[in-house]
Amino acid sequence: MRSQVIFEEIQLLSIKERKAIKVNLNYNKLVIYGKNDTGKSTIIKSIFWILGLNPSSLFSDDKLDKNLIGILKIKYLDNYYFFYRNKDSRKLFTFEKQLLIETERNSEWQEYLANFFNYPLSLIQFNNLEEYYIGLQGLLTPYYIDQDTSWNAKWIGPFENLNRYIDFYQQVIEHFTGIISNETIILKQKQKKLITSKKENELKIKIYNQSRNELLGNYHDTDHLPEINEDLFIKNIEESSDILKKSKKLQDELKNEINNIISDRYKVRNLLKSAVNLHNESIADLTVLNEIPNDSTIECPTCGTHHKKTIKANIALEFDIQGIEENIFFLNQQLEELKKQEKSAINKLNLINNEIEKFDIQLDSNVSEEYTFNDILYSYSSKNIRTNIDLNINNIYDDINKINATILDYQNRIEIIDSTDSVKERKRKIKKAY
């Protein structure tokens, strides 16, 4: 990255202070110098922050506003790019302002930049043993020394949460210095993936064993059960199972049918109640109307309009009453039909329930003086469960053995490429040089 990336420009906007700054960086030789408290560290840390990292002492003593918005312009492989950062929101644009990635998830950001800058170093996290690309956290770690923590203090790392990774510093420094070759790094990464896969398989075996204990914990030795014709036994089980499935399905259908009938009956009853009330009101209105002499003026109780009472009004009201009575008769017929349907469905449901109960009784019936049909069914099922679980466990053990063989093969190749002695010699030369 040092030889391929040129920092061109940085822009910072403080929402809190309502101030902005733009710094043009000299791409020929990038050295930031100045007196104390002139903002050198702020510029340097802001560059790392906009790149998506979190310098460990970035906001110490509230020297840097946490509500900064930053843009960093770089040149990489003869192309220009813009990095954007606002709190946890990270974005990367091309020079033509095409958005390449936008995310608030650090792992997603680091994985993208690991591929973007061709830095495929990945490490394992302590908490979940999952593998993650390090990205710029690993790529920039060797370049960043934070003088705020003192030059003589033990180096705890420049960015936050690096201690979550197994052997972070050793692997990054070995990769950076060339103590370990890239080929060895890749082989070690493959080893780590295989080790993780091996642990997952070992967990599967543990789960299978727990399942077997839970399913067959009360299983007693039934090898001495009466001999049975397995083919005939399986056929009977399949036929019985088919009958039971159909019975259960019909049972559910009848339950739904009864619920629908009850719902319809409830609606019809409400309609019938309303029709009877309307009929009574209409009879009462007709009685009052008959007592009023013809050609009398009547005031409508609803709208207040005055109407003349005629024989025609009596006929119209009587006609309405007749229609209501026909509707009541129809609703009563409909109600009776729903009662018949409900009774028929309940009878069918009782027959199905009886068949299911007979089937349950059959399972508890004796097939010999000592054992019931249920005993043999349980015995047969338990043997199948054991056989299937053991088969799966054996297959997993085969996978683990293959993984172990591949891990050993990778280790042999690593020893050929970077033997223990050659790595020690490189470390010795580096220590001597510094």
Side-chain angles (χ1 to χ4, degrees):
M1 185 176 184
R2 177 174 54 186
S3 60
Q4 295 176 323
V5 174
I6 297 173
F7 295 98
E8 294 270 340
E9 177 185 286
I10 182 172
Q11 300 178 51
L12 295 172
L13 171 65
S14 173
I15 304 297
K16 180 180 179 181
E17 298 181 4
R18 300 193 176 207
K19 291 182 180 180
I21 184 175
K22 176 181 176 181
V23 180
N24 293 315
L25 304 171
N26 189 329
Y27 59 86
N28 289 321
K29 51 179 181 180
L30 184 54
V31 176
I32 299 177
Y33 62 93
K35 296 180 180 180
N36 291 338
D37 296 324
T38 56
K40 301 186 301 297
S41 295
T42 300
I43 293 296
I44 294 171
K45 291 177 182 179
S46 296
I47 290 174
F48 286 106
W49 180 75
I50 296 172
L51 287 171
L53 304 174
N54 292 316
S56 55
S57 58
L58 178 63
F59 302 114
S60 60
D61 301 326
D62 294 325
K63 290 182 180 179
L64 196 59
D65 180 13
K66 296 181 181 181
N67 291 316
L68 279 177
I69 296 176
I71 297 176
L72 177 67
K73 179 183 178 183
I74 71 166
K75 185 178 182 182
Y76 174 54
L77 298 177
D78 295 327
N79 292 308
Y80 290 97
Y81 299 93
F82 292 95
F83 284 83
Y84 169 88
R85 177 87 181 261
N86 182 5
K87 295 183 180 178
D88 288 330
S89 176
R90 303 167 174 89
K91 300 178 184 179
L92 176 61
F93 297 88
T94 65
F95 185 73
E96 293 78 18
K97 298 190 175 53
Q98 176 190 354
L99 180 63
L100 298 178
I101 182 175
E102 176 181 5
T103 182
E104 293 187 1
R105 293 177 55 234
N106 184 59
S107 59
E108 183 180 358
W109 178 257
Q110 297 302 342
E111 180 176 350
Y112 183 88
L113 293 184
N115 293 303
F116 182 79
F117 287 113
N118 192 26
Y119 186 76
L121 182 63
S122 59
L123 297 179
I124 304 293
Q125 282 198 7
F126 279 104
N127 60 342
N128 57 10
L129 298 179
E130 293 287 333
E131 186 175 18
Y132 296 91
Y133 281 102
I134 293 302
L136 288 178
Q137 296 180 97
L139 186 56
L140 294 174
T141 287
Y143 296 107
Y144 181 22
I145 299 175
D146 182 12
Q147 78 277 12
D148 291 344
T149 57
S150 172
W151 294 91
N152 296 321
K154 181 180 178 181
W155 188 42
I156 58 173
F159 305 117
E160 291 180 353
N161 300 320
L162 296 184
N163 57 352
R164 72 175 67 176
Y165 298 103
I166 299 175
D167 295 333
F168 172 84
Y169 300 110
Q170 179 182 347
Q171 295 188 64
V172 167
I173 295 302
E174 285 180 350
H175 187 239
F176 174 75
T177 57
I179 292 174
I180 301 295
S181 66
N182 285 340
E183 190 175 355
T184 296
I185 292 277
I186 292 172
L187 287 172
K188 283 188 174 183
Q189 289 171 4
K190 290 181 178 180
Q191 276 186 323
K192 286 185 293 183
K193 291 179 181 179
L194 288 173
I195 291 171
T196 301
S197 179
K198 177 181 175 181
K199 289 180 178 178
E200 290 174 351
N201 282 328
E202 289 172 345
L203 179 61
K204 287 180 183 178
I205 291 176
K206 184 177 180 181
I207 292 172
Y208 271 124
N209 284 325
Q210 288 176 345
S211 300
R212 176 167 54 188
N213 292 336
E214 290 175 5
L215 291 170
L216 308 177
N218 297 323
Y219 175 76
H220 52 83
D221 184 14
T222 53
D223 292 337
H224 55 286
L225 285 172
E227 289 291 332
I228 60 173
N229 184 327
E230 288 195 1
D231 293 335
L232 182 60
F233 179 72
I234 293 173
K235 183 180 178 181
N236 289 336
I237 290 297
E238 290 175 347
E239 290 176 353
S240 300
S241 177
D242 187 52
I243 293 172
L244 185 60
K245 284 180 181 178
K246 290 179 180 178
S247 299
K248 289 286 187 181
K249 183 181 178 182
L250 187 57
Q251 185 185 50
D252 292 336
E253 290 174 353
L254 286 170
K255 286 180 180 178
N256 290 331
E257 183 180 343
I258 291 171
N259 287 333
N260 291 333
I261 291 172
I262 292 174
S263 177
D264 290 342
R265 197 174 67 183
Y266 177 78
K267 293 176 183 177
V268 172
R269 278 180 175 173
N270 285 336
L271 291 172
L272 184 59
K273 184 179 179 181
S274 299
V276 169
N277 290 335
L278 183 59
H279 181 266
N280 293 334
E281 292 173 1
S282 299
I283 292 294
D285 290 343
L286 182 61
T287 302
V288 172
L289 193 63
N290 287 333
E291 294 175 354
I292 299 173
N294 290 333
D295 298 326
S296 300
T297 301
I298 306 170
E299 182 180 354
C300 178
T302 303
C303 62
T305 306
H306 289 81
H307 301 277
K308 182 179 284 189
K309 191 261 182 181
T310 64
I311 189 68
K312 187 177 179 181
N314 286 60
I315 295 172
L317 187 55
E318 288 176 356
F319 183 79
D320 289 342
I321 292 173
Q322 183 180 355
I324 295 171
E325 289 173 346
E326 290 176 357
N327 188 39
I328 290 173
F329 177 78
F330 172 76
L331 289 173
N332 277 318
Q333 280 189 321
Q334 193 174 357
L335 193 61
E336 288 299 320
E337 180 62 27
L338 287 172
K339 288 180 179 178
K340 291 178 182 178
Q341 292 178 11
E342 182 181 0
K343 185 176 180 180
S344 174
I346 290 174
N347 289 334
K348 290 178 183 178
L349 182 61
N350 288 333
L351 291 175
I352 295 297
N353 290 338
N354 290 336
E355 290 297 321
I356 293 175
E357 288 179 8
K358 288 179 182 178
F359 184 82
D360 290 336
I361 294 172
Q362 182 183 352
L363 292 179
D364 290 326
S365 61
N366 288 343
V367 293
S368 70
E369 293 181 0
E370 298 181 63
Y371 304 108
T372 65
F373 181 78
N374 232 341
D375 290 329
I376 296 184
L377 179 63
Y378 183 66
S379 172
Y380 185 82
S381 299
S382 299
K383 288 177 182 178
N384 275 329
I385 290 172
R386 276 194 305 177
T387 301
N388 290 329
I389 289 179
D390 290 342
L391 179 62
N392 287 327
I393 289 176
N394 289 334
N395 289 336
I396 294 173
Y397 273 124
D398 289 340
D399 291 339
I400 290 176
N401 290 333
K402 292 176 183 177
I403 290 173
N404 286 334
T406 307
I407 291 174
L408 182 60
D409 177 61
Y410 286 159
Q411 190 59 43
N412 292 333
R413 289 166 62 182
I414 289 171
E415 287 296 326
I416 294 173
I417 299 167
D418 288 317
S419 65
T420 305
D421 292 338
S422 64
V423 171
K424 286 182 179 179
E425 179 60 22
R426 290 173 199 160
K427 289 182 179 179
R428 188 191 65 78
K429 287 181 179 180
I430 290 176
K431 288 180 181 179
K432 184 177 180 181
Y434 292 96

